[in-house]
Amino acid sequence: MDQQNIRNFCIIAHIDHGKSTLADRLLQLTGTILERDMMAQVLDTMDLEREKGVTIKASAVRMSYVAQNGQTYELNLIDTPGHVDFAYEVSRALQACEGAVLVVDASQGVEAQTLANLYLAMGNDLEVIPVVNKIDLVSAQPDAVADEIEEILGAPAEEVIRISAKTGAHVEQVLEAVVHLVPPPHGQREQSLRALIFDSHYDAYKGVIAYVRVVDGAIELGQALRLMSTDLMVEPLEVGVFRPDMRPTGKLEAGEVGYVATGLKNVADCRVGDTFTLHGNPAAVPLPGYKPMKPMVFASAYPSDAADYIALREALAKLQLNDASLTFEPESSQALGYGFRCGFLGLFHMEIIQERLEREYDLDLVFTAPSVEYEITRTDGSEILIDSPVEMPDPTLIAEIREPWVQIDVFTPTEYIGQVMDLVTTRRGEFKAQEYLDARRVLLSYHIPLIEILTDFYNDLKARTRGYASLDYHLEGYRPADMVRLDVLLNREPVDALSMIVHRDQMFNKGMKLVSKLKDVIPRQQFDVPIQAAVGNKIVSRANVKAIRKDVLAKCYGGDITRKRKLLEKQKAGKKRMKMIGSVEIPQEAFMTILKLDEE
Protein backbone atom coordinates (compact mmCIF):
# COMPACT_ATOMS: atom_id res chain seq x y z
CA MET A 1 0.00 0.00 0.00
CA ASP A 2 1.05 3.61 -0.67
CA GLN A 3 2.97 4.88 2.35
CA GLN A 4 0.82 8.03 2.47
CA ASN A 5 -2.18 5.83 3.36
CA ILE A 6 -0.52 4.02 6.29
CA ARG A 7 -1.15 5.13 9.88
CA ASN A 8 0.68 3.64 12.89
CA PHE A 9 -0.87 4.52 16.27
CA CYS A 10 -1.26 3.17 19.80
CA ILE A 11 -3.83 3.56 22.58
CA ILE A 12 -2.53 4.84 25.93
CA ALA A 13 -4.40 5.43 29.18
CA HIS A 14 -4.50 4.90 32.95
CA ILE A 15 -5.37 1.36 34.03
CA ASP A 16 -9.08 0.48 33.54
CA HIS A 17 -9.99 3.55 31.45
CA GLY A 18 -11.17 1.45 28.50
CA LYS A 19 -8.21 0.93 26.12
CA SER A 20 -8.95 -2.72 25.32
CA THR A 21 -12.71 -2.06 24.93
CA LEU A 22 -11.98 0.78 22.47
CA ALA A 23 -9.63 -1.56 20.55
CA ASP A 24 -12.50 -4.11 20.35
CA ARG A 25 -14.85 -1.48 18.83
CA LEU A 26 -12.21 -0.35 16.30
CA LEU A 27 -11.71 -3.98 15.18
CA GLN A 28 -15.48 -4.35 14.77
CA LEU A 29 -15.93 -1.07 12.89
CA THR A 30 -13.17 -1.88 10.41
CA GLY A 31 -14.45 -5.44 9.87
CA THR A 32 -11.10 -6.91 10.99
CA ILE A 33 -12.94 -9.43 13.17
CA LEU A 34 -16.24 -11.05 12.22
CA GLU A 35 -19.17 -10.57 14.62
CA ARG A 36 -19.29 -14.30 15.37
CA ASP A 37 -15.61 -14.27 16.48
CA MET A 38 -16.01 -11.14 18.60
CA MET A 39 -15.43 -11.31 22.36
CA ALA A 40 -14.47 -8.83 25.07
CA GLN A 41 -10.77 -7.86 25.28
CA VAL A 42 -10.03 -9.62 22.00
CA LEU A 43 -6.39 -8.43 21.97
CA ASP A 44 -5.76 -9.64 25.55
CA THR A 45 -4.82 -13.22 24.71
CA MET A 46 -3.41 -14.29 28.10
CA ASP A 47 -5.75 -15.90 30.65
CA LEU A 48 -4.18 -13.68 33.31
CA GLU A 49 -5.10 -10.54 31.33
CA ARG A 50 -8.74 -11.63 31.11
CA GLU A 51 -8.97 -12.62 34.79
CA LYS A 52 -7.36 -9.46 36.15
CA GLY A 53 -8.99 -7.19 33.56
CA VAL A 54 -5.66 -5.53 32.73
CA THR A 55 -3.43 -5.51 29.64
CA ILE A 56 0.00 -6.96 30.45
CA LYS A 57 1.56 -7.30 26.99
CA ALA A 58 1.34 -4.73 24.20
CA SER A 59 -0.34 -6.36 21.17
CA ALA A 60 -0.41 -5.29 17.52
CA VAL A 61 -3.13 -5.59 14.86
CA ARG A 62 -3.60 -4.34 11.26
CA MET A 63 -6.95 -2.87 10.16
CA SER A 64 -8.23 -1.64 6.78
CA TYR A 65 -10.50 1.43 6.95
CA VAL A 66 -12.40 3.24 4.21
CA ALA A 67 -12.52 6.87 5.36
CA GLN A 68 -15.32 9.36 4.65
CA ASN A 69 -13.16 10.84 1.85
CA GLY A 70 -13.45 7.47 0.05
CA GLN A 71 -9.79 6.48 0.43
CA THR A 72 -8.70 3.17 1.98
CA TYR A 73 -6.19 3.40 4.82
CA GLU A 74 -4.04 0.74 6.48
CA LEU A 75 -4.15 1.29 10.25
CA ASN A 76 -1.60 -0.46 12.49
CA LEU A 77 -2.83 -0.36 16.10
CA ILE A 78 -0.78 -1.26 19.18
CA ASP A 79 -2.82 -1.72 22.40
CA THR A 80 -0.63 -0.95 25.45
CA PRO A 81 -0.79 -1.72 29.21
CA GLY A 82 -1.88 0.94 31.72
CA HIS A 83 -0.35 -0.32 34.98
CA VAL A 84 2.68 1.59 36.29
CA ASP A 85 4.82 -1.60 36.35
CA PHE A 86 4.41 -2.03 32.58
CA ALA A 87 5.37 1.51 31.53
CA TYR A 88 8.36 -0.07 29.75
CA GLU A 89 5.97 -1.95 27.41
CA VAL A 90 4.33 1.40 26.60
CA SER A 91 7.65 3.15 25.89
CA ARG A 92 8.63 0.40 23.41
CA ALA A 93 5.26 0.50 21.61
CA LEU A 94 5.48 4.30 21.23
CA GLN A 95 8.69 4.03 19.19
CA ALA A 96 6.83 1.98 16.55
CA CYS A 97 4.13 4.67 16.10
CA GLU A 98 3.55 8.21 14.82
CA GLY A 99 0.39 8.88 16.85
CA ALA A 100 -1.29 8.01 20.17
CA VAL A 101 -4.96 7.96 21.19
CA LEU A 102 -5.09 9.17 24.82
CA VAL A 103 -8.16 7.68 26.54
CA VAL A 104 -9.52 9.31 29.72
CA ASP A 105 -12.43 8.01 31.84
CA ALA A 106 -15.34 10.50 31.86
CA SER A 107 -16.13 9.79 35.52
CA GLN A 108 -12.58 9.59 36.96
CA GLY A 109 -10.77 12.20 34.88
CA VAL A 110 -7.00 12.55 34.42
CA GLU A 111 -5.08 10.14 36.69
CA ALA A 112 -1.46 9.29 37.50
CA GLN A 113 -0.71 6.97 34.57
CA THR A 114 -2.66 9.23 32.16
CA LEU A 115 -0.01 11.90 32.75
CA ALA A 116 2.94 9.47 32.82
CA ASN A 117 1.94 7.92 29.44
CA LEU A 118 1.13 11.34 27.95
CA TYR A 119 4.63 12.61 28.78
CA LEU A 120 6.11 9.44 27.23
CA ALA A 121 4.13 10.09 24.02
CA MET A 122 5.12 13.76 23.90
CA GLY A 123 8.77 12.77 24.53
CA ASN A 124 8.57 10.60 21.38
CA ASP A 125 7.05 13.50 19.35
CA LEU A 126 3.79 11.64 18.69
CA GLU A 127 0.57 13.28 17.56
CA VAL A 128 -1.77 12.90 20.58
CA ILE A 129 -5.53 12.50 19.98
CA PRO A 130 -7.44 13.06 23.27
CA VAL A 131 -10.59 10.94 23.78
CA VAL A 132 -13.05 10.99 26.70
CA ASN A 133 -14.51 7.49 27.19
CA LYS A 134 -17.48 6.09 29.20
CA ILE A 135 -19.86 9.01 28.50
CA ASP A 136 -22.75 6.53 28.99
CA LEU A 137 -22.07 6.31 32.76
CA VAL A 138 -24.46 8.08 35.15
CA SER A 139 -21.48 9.69 36.93
CA ALA A 140 -19.84 10.83 33.66
CA GLN A 141 -18.69 14.47 33.41
CA PRO A 142 -17.29 14.65 29.87
CA ASP A 143 -17.17 18.46 29.72
CA ALA A 144 -15.28 18.80 33.01
CA VAL A 145 -12.81 16.09 31.93
CA ALA A 146 -12.38 17.77 28.51
CA ASP A 147 -11.46 20.99 30.39
CA GLU A 148 -8.85 19.00 32.39
CA ILE A 149 -7.37 17.66 29.14
CA GLU A 150 -7.25 21.19 27.68
CA GLU A 151 -5.26 22.29 30.74
CA ILE A 152 -2.59 19.56 30.46
CA LEU A 153 -2.46 19.12 26.66
CA GLY A 154 -3.45 22.52 25.31
CA ALA A 155 -6.00 20.99 22.88
CA PRO A 156 -9.31 22.98 22.84
CA ALA A 157 -11.92 21.25 25.04
CA GLU A 158 -14.55 21.35 22.26
CA GLU A 159 -12.23 19.35 19.95
CA VAL A 160 -11.83 16.48 22.46
CA ILE A 161 -13.71 13.41 21.11
CA ARG A 162 -16.41 12.10 23.47
CA ILE A 163 -17.20 8.38 23.07
CA SER A 164 -18.56 5.28 24.74
CA ALA A 165 -16.38 2.31 23.78
CA LYS A 166 -18.88 -0.02 25.46
CA THR A 167 -21.90 1.03 23.36
CA GLY A 168 -19.86 2.12 20.31
CA ALA A 169 -21.19 5.71 20.38
CA HIS A 170 -19.07 8.15 18.27
CA VAL A 171 -16.17 5.62 17.97
CA GLU A 172 -15.92 6.27 14.21
CA GLN A 173 -14.78 9.82 15.02
CA VAL A 174 -11.62 8.27 16.55
CA LEU A 175 -10.79 6.50 13.26
CA GLU A 176 -11.38 9.71 11.27
CA ALA A 177 -9.13 11.64 13.67
CA VAL A 178 -6.38 9.01 13.29
CA VAL A 179 -6.61 9.22 9.47
CA HIS A 180 -6.51 13.04 9.35
CA LEU A 181 -4.25 13.94 12.30
CA VAL A 182 -1.64 11.16 12.57
CA PRO A 183 1.16 11.70 10.00
CA PRO A 184 2.11 8.86 7.61
CA PRO A 185 5.46 7.07 8.28
CA HIS A 186 8.59 8.73 6.88
CA GLY A 187 10.69 5.70 5.80
CA GLN A 188 12.43 5.28 2.43
CA ARG A 189 11.43 2.12 0.53
CA GLU A 190 14.43 2.38 -1.86
CA GLN A 191 17.04 2.30 0.92
CA SER A 192 18.58 -0.79 2.53
CA LEU A 193 16.36 -2.56 5.06
CA ARG A 194 16.15 -1.32 8.66
CA ALA A 195 13.40 -2.86 10.83
CA LEU A 196 13.03 -2.29 14.58
CA ILE A 197 12.12 -5.28 16.81
CA PHE A 198 9.68 -3.80 19.36
CA ASP A 199 8.41 -7.06 20.90
CA SER A 200 8.66 -10.83 20.49
CA HIS A 201 7.36 -14.16 21.71
CA TYR A 202 8.41 -17.80 21.47
CA ASP A 203 6.59 -20.35 19.33
CA ALA A 204 7.40 -24.07 19.68
CA TYR A 205 7.16 -24.64 15.89
CA LYS A 206 8.45 -21.37 14.39
CA GLY A 207 11.01 -20.40 17.04
CA VAL A 208 11.29 -16.73 18.03
CA ILE A 209 8.56 -14.55 16.49
CA ALA A 210 9.85 -10.96 16.23
CA TYR A 211 7.31 -8.09 16.09
CA VAL A 212 8.81 -5.52 13.71
CA ARG A 213 8.23 -1.99 12.49
CA VAL A 214 9.88 -1.61 9.06
CA VAL A 215 11.48 1.86 8.92
CA ASP A 216 13.40 1.66 5.60
CA GLY A 217 13.44 -0.88 2.75
CA ALA A 218 11.41 -4.11 2.78
CA ILE A 219 11.46 -7.62 4.27
CA GLU A 220 10.72 -10.44 1.80
CA LEU A 221 10.45 -14.17 2.39
CA GLY A 222 13.52 -15.93 0.98
CA GLN A 223 15.91 -13.05 1.72
CA ALA A 224 18.51 -13.67 4.43
CA LEU A 225 18.38 -11.10 7.27
CA ARG A 226 20.98 -10.04 9.78
CA LEU A 227 20.59 -8.85 13.39
CA MET A 228 22.82 -5.79 13.68
CA SER A 229 23.79 -6.02 17.38
CA THR A 230 24.68 -9.75 17.42
CA ASP A 231 25.70 -10.04 13.73
CA LEU A 232 23.61 -13.21 13.49
CA MET A 233 22.17 -14.37 10.15
CA VAL A 234 18.47 -15.31 10.04
CA GLU A 235 16.50 -16.95 7.25
CA PRO A 236 12.82 -16.09 7.87
CA LEU A 237 10.36 -19.01 7.92
CA GLU A 238 7.37 -16.66 7.63
CA VAL A 239 6.69 -12.93 7.17
CA GLY A 240 3.24 -11.49 7.81
CA VAL A 241 0.88 -9.19 9.69
CA PHE A 242 -1.45 -9.42 12.70
CA ARG A 243 -5.20 -9.47 11.99
CA PRO A 244 -5.11 -10.02 15.06
CA ASP A 245 -3.97 -13.65 14.51
CA MET A 246 -0.81 -14.09 12.43
CA ARG A 247 -1.48 -13.95 8.64
CA PRO A 248 1.47 -14.64 6.28
CA THR A 249 1.89 -12.02 3.51
CA GLY A 250 5.44 -12.83 2.41
CA LYS A 251 6.47 -9.17 2.43
CA LEU A 252 6.58 -6.09 4.71
CA GLU A 253 7.44 -2.65 3.30
CA ALA A 254 8.67 0.59 4.89
CA GLY A 255 6.13 2.06 7.30
CA GLU A 256 4.39 -1.28 7.95
CA VAL A 257 4.10 -3.24 11.19
CA GLY A 258 4.15 -7.07 11.20
CA TYR A 259 6.08 -10.13 12.31
CA VAL A 260 9.02 -12.28 11.23
CA ALA A 261 9.19 -15.96 12.26
CA THR A 262 12.95 -16.36 12.65
CA GLY A 263 13.23 -20.09 13.43
CA LEU A 264 15.76 -19.20 16.17
CA LYS A 265 15.67 -21.60 19.11
CA ASN A 266 17.94 -19.64 21.41
CA VAL A 267 15.87 -16.86 22.93
CA ALA A 268 18.93 -14.72 23.75
CA ASP A 269 19.82 -14.31 20.04
CA CYS A 270 16.83 -12.07 19.18
CA ARG A 271 16.66 -9.10 21.53
CA VAL A 272 13.93 -6.46 21.69
CA GLY A 273 15.36 -3.14 20.43
CA ASP A 274 17.66 -4.79 17.85
CA THR A 275 17.57 -3.90 14.13
CA PHE A 276 16.99 -6.30 11.21
CA THR A 277 18.87 -5.53 7.99
CA LEU A 278 19.56 -7.49 4.78
CA HIS A 279 22.45 -9.95 4.97
CA GLY A 280 23.56 -9.20 1.40
CA ASN A 281 23.07 -5.41 1.50
CA PRO A 282 23.33 -4.28 5.13
CA ALA A 283 22.45 -0.80 6.35
CA ALA A 284 25.27 1.38 7.66
CA VAL A 285 23.82 2.28 11.07
CA PRO A 286 21.24 0.47 13.23
CA LEU A 287 18.10 2.18 14.53
CA PRO A 288 18.33 3.66 18.03
CA GLY A 289 17.11 0.83 20.29
CA TYR A 290 15.68 1.13 23.77
CA LYS A 291 17.28 2.36 26.94
CA PRO A 292 17.71 -0.82 29.04
CA MET A 293 15.20 -0.92 31.87
CA LYS A 294 16.66 -1.20 35.36
CA PRO A 295 14.84 -3.63 37.69
CA MET A 296 13.66 -2.04 40.94
CA VAL A 297 12.48 -5.08 42.91
CA PHE A 298 14.41 -8.31 43.49
CA ALA A 299 13.26 -11.71 44.77
CA SER A 300 14.53 -15.27 44.61
CA ALA A 301 12.61 -18.08 42.89
CA TYR A 302 13.27 -21.69 43.88
CA PRO A 303 11.60 -24.83 42.50
CA SER A 304 9.81 -26.89 45.20
CA ASP A 305 11.26 -29.98 43.50
CA ALA A 306 15.01 -29.65 42.84
CA ALA A 307 14.55 -31.65 39.61
CA ASP A 308 12.64 -28.66 38.11
CA TYR A 309 15.71 -26.38 38.20
CA ILE A 310 16.48 -26.74 34.45
CA ALA A 311 12.77 -26.29 33.57
CA LEU A 312 12.69 -23.08 35.65
CA ARG A 313 15.78 -21.72 33.87
CA GLU A 314 14.26 -22.40 30.43
CA ALA A 315 10.89 -20.88 31.45
CA LEU A 316 12.59 -17.68 32.72
CA ALA A 317 14.60 -17.44 29.48
CA LYS A 318 11.42 -17.67 27.39
CA LEU A 319 9.63 -15.05 29.51
CA GLN A 320 12.66 -12.76 29.29
CA LEU A 321 12.48 -12.91 25.48
CA ASN A 322 9.34 -10.76 25.31
CA ASP A 323 9.88 -9.02 28.66
CA ALA A 324 13.31 -7.40 28.51
CA SER A 325 12.80 -5.83 31.96
CA LEU A 326 12.96 -9.29 33.65
CA THR A 327 16.49 -10.25 34.79
CA PHE A 328 17.69 -13.44 36.48
CA GLU A 329 20.91 -15.10 37.62
CA PRO A 330 21.63 -18.42 39.42
CA GLU A 331 21.67 -18.48 43.22
CA SER A 332 21.76 -21.11 45.97
CA SER A 333 20.30 -21.17 49.48
CA GLN A 334 20.96 -23.48 52.46
CA ALA A 335 17.24 -23.85 53.11
CA LEU A 336 15.90 -24.02 49.54
CA GLY A 337 18.72 -25.39 47.37
CA TYR A 338 19.37 -24.02 43.85
CA GLY A 339 17.25 -21.26 42.27
CA PHE A 340 17.46 -17.84 40.62
CA ARG A 341 17.68 -14.24 41.82
CA CYS A 342 15.18 -12.33 39.65
CA GLY A 343 14.75 -8.58 39.04
CA PHE A 344 11.33 -6.99 38.39
CA LEU A 345 9.94 -3.50 37.69
CA GLY A 346 7.51 -3.66 40.60
CA LEU A 347 5.49 -5.97 42.83
CA PHE A 348 2.63 -6.39 40.32
CA HIS A 349 5.20 -7.31 37.67
CA MET A 350 6.65 -9.91 40.08
CA GLU A 351 3.18 -11.32 40.80
CA ILE A 352 2.43 -11.65 37.04
CA ILE A 353 5.76 -13.41 36.34
CA GLN A 354 5.15 -15.79 39.28
CA GLU A 355 1.66 -16.68 38.02
CA ARG A 356 2.87 -17.12 34.43
CA LEU A 357 5.66 -19.47 35.55
CA GLU A 358 3.20 -21.56 37.56
CA ARG A 359 0.43 -21.65 34.90
CA GLU A 360 2.17 -21.63 31.55
CA TYR A 361 5.13 -23.79 32.56
CA ASP A 362 3.46 -25.91 35.28
CA LEU A 363 6.12 -25.14 37.91
CA ASP A 364 5.66 -25.29 41.69
CA LEU A 365 7.77 -22.43 43.07
CA VAL A 366 8.85 -20.81 46.31
CA PHE A 367 9.40 -17.01 46.06
CA THR A 368 11.33 -15.21 48.81
CA ALA A 369 10.51 -11.75 50.17
CA PRO A 370 11.12 -8.89 47.70
CA SER A 371 14.07 -6.58 48.26
CA VAL A 372 15.60 -3.55 46.52
CA GLU A 373 19.14 -2.74 45.38
CA TYR A 374 21.41 -1.03 47.93
CA GLU A 375 24.68 0.80 47.33
CA ILE A 376 27.35 0.02 49.95
CA THR A 377 30.67 1.80 50.53
CA ARG A 378 33.12 -0.46 52.36
CA THR A 379 35.63 0.80 54.93
CA ASP A 380 38.43 0.22 52.36
CA GLY A 381 36.70 2.70 49.97
CA SER A 382 35.37 0.13 47.46
CA GLU A 383 31.72 0.26 46.37
CA ILE A 384 29.36 -2.67 45.81
CA LEU A 385 25.68 -3.14 44.84
CA ILE A 386 23.61 -5.73 46.71
CA ASP A 387 20.00 -6.82 46.15
CA SER A 388 19.83 -9.72 48.62
CA PRO A 389 20.25 -9.75 52.44
CA VAL A 390 22.62 -12.72 52.05
CA GLU A 391 25.13 -10.51 50.15
CA MET A 392 25.31 -7.90 52.93
CA PRO A 393 28.90 -7.64 54.28
CA ASP A 394 29.83 -7.75 57.96
CA PRO A 395 28.69 -4.48 59.67
CA THR A 396 32.30 -3.74 60.73
CA LEU A 397 33.31 -3.58 57.04
CA ILE A 398 30.55 -1.10 56.03
CA ALA A 399 31.29 2.65 55.93
CA GLU A 400 27.90 3.69 54.45
CA ILE A 401 24.71 2.14 53.05
CA ARG A 402 22.54 4.04 50.56
CA GLU A 403 18.97 2.98 49.73
CA PRO A 404 16.87 3.91 46.64
CA TRP A 405 14.24 6.66 47.02
CA VAL A 406 11.35 7.29 44.65
CA GLN A 407 9.06 10.23 43.97
CA ILE A 408 5.42 9.20 44.20
CA ASP A 409 2.51 11.19 42.77
CA VAL A 410 -0.87 10.42 44.34
CA PHE A 411 -4.11 11.68 42.75
CA THR A 412 -6.89 11.65 45.34
CA PRO A 413 -10.22 13.30 46.18
CA THR A 414 -9.67 16.17 48.64
CA GLU A 415 -11.53 14.44 51.53
CA TYR A 416 -8.82 11.74 51.72
CA ILE A 417 -5.77 14.05 51.99
CA GLY A 418 -5.39 13.27 55.72
CA GLN A 419 -5.45 9.50 55.24
CA VAL A 420 -2.89 9.65 52.40
CA MET A 421 -0.55 11.92 54.42
CA ASP A 422 -0.80 9.61 57.45
CA LEU A 423 -0.02 6.53 55.31
CA VAL A 424 3.05 8.11 53.69
CA THR A 425 4.55 9.70 56.82
CA THR A 426 4.35 6.41 58.79
CA ARG A 427 6.52 4.90 56.04
CA ARG A 428 9.34 7.48 56.27
CA GLY A 429 7.88 9.59 53.44
CA GLU A 430 8.76 13.30 52.99
CA PHE A 431 6.23 15.82 51.68
CA LYS A 432 7.23 17.55 48.42
CA ALA A 433 4.25 19.38 46.87
CA GLN A 434 0.47 19.67 46.79
CA GLU A 435 -1.48 20.85 43.77
CA TYR A 436 -5.27 21.22 43.45
CA LEU A 437 -6.46 20.02 40.03
CA ASP A 438 -9.99 21.28 40.70
CA ALA A 439 -12.34 21.72 43.66
CA ARG A 440 -12.59 17.93 44.20
CA ARG A 441 -9.17 16.46 43.34
CA VAL A 442 -5.63 17.05 44.50
CA LEU A 443 -2.17 15.85 43.42
CA LEU A 444 0.17 15.02 46.33
CA SER A 445 3.88 14.48 45.66
CA TYR A 446 6.23 12.79 48.15
CA HIS A 447 9.75 11.39 48.40
CA ILE A 448 9.76 7.93 50.00
CA PRO A 449 12.16 4.95 50.26
CA LEU A 450 11.35 2.37 47.57
CA ILE A 451 11.38 -0.50 50.11
CA GLU A 452 8.47 1.19 51.97
CA ILE A 453 6.07 1.04 48.99
CA LEU A 454 6.97 -2.49 47.91
CA THR A 455 4.72 -4.88 49.74
CA ASP A 456 1.27 -3.50 50.47
CA PHE A 457 1.44 0.28 50.03
CA TYR A 458 -0.80 0.31 46.94
CA ASN A 459 -3.47 -1.88 48.60
CA ASP A 460 -3.38 0.28 51.74
CA LEU A 461 -3.70 3.45 49.64
CA LYS A 462 -6.74 2.04 47.81
CA ALA A 463 -8.34 0.90 51.09
CA ARG A 464 -7.92 4.30 52.80
CA THR A 465 -9.31 6.23 49.82
CA ARG A 466 -12.13 3.76 48.96
CA GLY A 467 -10.42 2.96 45.68
CA TYR A 468 -10.39 6.55 44.38
CA ALA A 469 -6.64 7.31 44.65
CA SER A 470 -4.19 6.50 41.84
CA LEU A 471 -0.43 6.19 42.10
CA ASP A 472 2.58 6.75 39.86
CA TYR A 473 6.24 6.53 40.90
CA HIS A 474 9.72 6.91 39.42
CA LEU A 475 13.22 6.39 40.78
CA GLU A 476 14.82 9.54 42.14
CA GLY A 477 18.24 8.47 43.47
CA TYR A 478 20.03 7.00 46.48
CA ARG A 479 20.30 8.39 50.03
CA PRO A 480 22.34 7.25 53.05
CA ALA A 481 20.34 5.09 55.49
CA ASP A 482 20.93 3.15 58.70
CA MET A 483 20.00 -0.33 57.44
CA VAL A 484 20.63 -3.66 59.19
CA ARG A 485 20.16 -7.31 58.26
CA LEU A 486 17.41 -9.04 60.22
CA ASP A 487 18.07 -12.80 60.36
CA VAL A 488 15.64 -15.55 61.34
CA LEU A 489 16.92 -18.55 63.32
CA LEU A 490 14.85 -21.74 63.44
CA ASN A 491 16.05 -24.23 66.06
CA ARG A 492 19.14 -21.96 66.36
CA GLU A 493 19.96 -22.45 62.66
CA PRO A 494 19.82 -19.33 60.40
CA VAL A 495 17.38 -19.56 57.46
CA ASP A 496 18.94 -17.32 54.80
CA ALA A 497 15.77 -17.24 52.65
CA LEU A 498 13.84 -15.56 55.49
CA SER A 499 16.42 -12.79 56.07
CA MET A 500 15.49 -9.20 55.26
CA ILE A 501 17.13 -5.75 55.25
CA VAL A 502 15.30 -3.27 57.50
CA HIS A 503 15.86 0.22 58.92
CA ARG A 504 17.43 0.13 62.39
CA ASP A 505 14.42 2.00 63.87
CA GLN A 506 12.12 -0.80 62.68
CA MET A 507 14.16 -3.86 63.67
CA PHE A 508 12.34 -4.57 66.98
CA ASN A 509 8.88 -3.98 65.49
CA LYS A 510 9.56 -6.04 62.32
CA GLY A 511 11.32 -8.75 64.34
CA MET A 512 8.36 -9.16 66.72
CA LYS A 513 5.83 -9.28 63.86
CA LEU A 514 7.89 -11.76 61.88
CA VAL A 515 8.42 -14.12 64.83
CA SER A 516 4.74 -14.08 65.88
CA LYS A 517 3.63 -14.74 62.27
CA LEU A 518 6.12 -17.58 61.82
CA LYS A 519 4.98 -19.15 65.10
CA ASP A 520 1.51 -19.56 63.53
CA VAL A 521 2.72 -21.20 60.30
CA ILE A 522 5.66 -23.41 61.39
CA PRO A 523 4.17 -26.86 62.15
CA ARG A 524 4.73 -28.39 65.59
CA GLN A 525 7.51 -30.97 65.81
CA GLN A 526 8.33 -33.74 68.32
CA PHE A 527 10.57 -31.18 70.10
CA ASP A 528 10.40 -27.49 71.07
CA VAL A 529 11.38 -25.22 68.16
CA PRO A 530 12.72 -21.77 69.15
CA ILE A 531 12.10 -19.04 66.53
CA GLN A 532 14.43 -16.06 66.92
CA ALA A 533 14.88 -12.77 65.06
CA ALA A 534 18.42 -11.46 65.32
CA VAL A 535 20.51 -8.49 64.17
CA GLY A 536 24.13 -9.64 64.30
CA ASN A 537 24.58 -11.35 67.70
CA LYS A 538 21.65 -9.48 69.24
CA ILE A 539 18.34 -11.38 69.57
CA VAL A 540 15.50 -8.85 69.08
CA SER A 541 12.55 -11.25 69.41
CA ARG A 542 11.85 -14.90 70.30
CA ALA A 543 8.95 -17.35 70.46
CA ASN A 544 8.72 -21.12 70.91
CA VAL A 545 6.68 -23.59 68.88
CA LYS A 546 5.67 -26.07 71.56
CA ALA A 547 6.45 -29.76 71.03
CA ILE A 548 3.74 -32.32 70.33
CA ARG A 549 3.37 -34.18 73.61
CA LYS A 550 2.71 -37.89 73.81
CA ASP A 551 1.26 -39.10 77.12
CA VAL A 552 3.76 -41.87 77.98
CA LEU A 553 2.09 -42.36 81.39
CA ALA A 554 -1.24 -43.35 79.85
CA LYS A 555 -0.59 -47.06 80.43
CA CYS A 556 0.41 -46.52 84.12
CA TYR A 557 -2.61 -46.86 86.38
CA GLY A 558 -1.22 -46.42 89.88
CA GLY A 559 1.87 -48.43 90.85
CA ASP A 560 5.41 -47.35 91.76
CA ILE A 561 6.38 -43.70 91.12
CA THR A 562 9.88 -44.80 89.99
CA ARG A 563 8.33 -46.56 86.97
CA LYS A 564 6.64 -43.32 85.87
CA ARG A 565 9.86 -41.35 86.41
CA LYS A 566 11.80 -43.88 84.34
CA LEU A 567 9.36 -43.47 81.39
CA LEU A 568 9.51 -39.65 81.61
CA GLU A 569 13.34 -39.65 81.68
CA LYS A 570 13.40 -41.96 78.64
CA GLN A 571 11.06 -39.56 76.75
CA LYS A 572 13.20 -36.58 77.76
CA ALA A 573 16.38 -38.26 76.45
CA GLY A 574 14.61 -39.16 73.19
CA LYS A 575 13.46 -35.55 72.66
CA LYS A 576 16.97 -34.27 73.38
CA ARG A 577 18.46 -36.63 70.77
CA MET A 578 15.72 -35.71 68.24
CA LYS A 579 16.38 -32.00 68.78
CA MET A 580 20.05 -32.52 67.91
CA ILE A 581 19.42 -34.39 64.66
CA GLY A 582 15.89 -33.22 63.76
CA SER A 583 15.30 -30.68 60.97
CA VAL A 584 12.37 -28.26 60.89
CA GLU A 585 10.16 -28.42 57.79
CA ILE A 586 9.53 -24.85 56.50
CA PRO A 587 6.19 -24.51 54.65
CA GLN A 588 5.64 -22.09 51.71
CA GLU A 589 3.40 -19.91 53.96
CA ALA A 590 6.46 -19.05 56.08
CA PHE A 591 8.01 -17.18 53.13
CA MET A 592 4.69 -15.51 52.31
CA THR A 593 4.38 -14.08 55.86
CA ILE A 594 7.13 -11.56 55.08
CA LEU A 595 4.93 -10.09 52.33
CA LYS A 596 2.07 -9.61 54.77
CA LEU A 597 3.97 -8.16 57.74
CA ASP A 598 2.39 -4.70 57.55
CA GLU A 599 -1.20 -5.73 56.96
CA GLU A 600 -2.36 -5.26 60.55
Side-chain angles (χ1 to χ4, degrees), residues 486 506-516 533 540-541:
L486 184 70
Q506 298 174 332
M507 67 182 190
F508 288 104
N509 188 22
K510 287 262 169 105
M512 280 170 55
K513 281 185 178 177
L514 187 53
V515 164
S516 59
V540 295
S541 183

Side-chain angles (χ1 to χ4, degrees), residues 90-132:
V90 180
S91 68
R92 295 196 327 223
L94 293 178
Q95 288 200 28
C97 303
E98 281 80 35
V101 174
L102 178 73
V103 180
V104 185
D105 190 312
S107 61
Q108 294 180 327
V110 173
E111 297 209 53
Q113 280 305 107
T114 314
L115 282 180
N117 289 335
L118 173 62
Y119 295 148
L120 273 176
M122 291 165 83
N124 281 286
D125 292 327
L126 300 194
E127 180 66 41
V128 178
I129 300 169
V131 171
V132 174

Side-chain angles (χ1 to χ4, degrees), residues 415-431:
E415 62 263 34
Y416 300 117
I417 292 176
Q419 285 93 320
V420 174
M421 286 186 164
D422 178 56
L423 172 65
V424 179
T425 48
T426 55
R427 294 176 182 245
R428 298 193 286 139
E430 295 174 0
F431 179 74

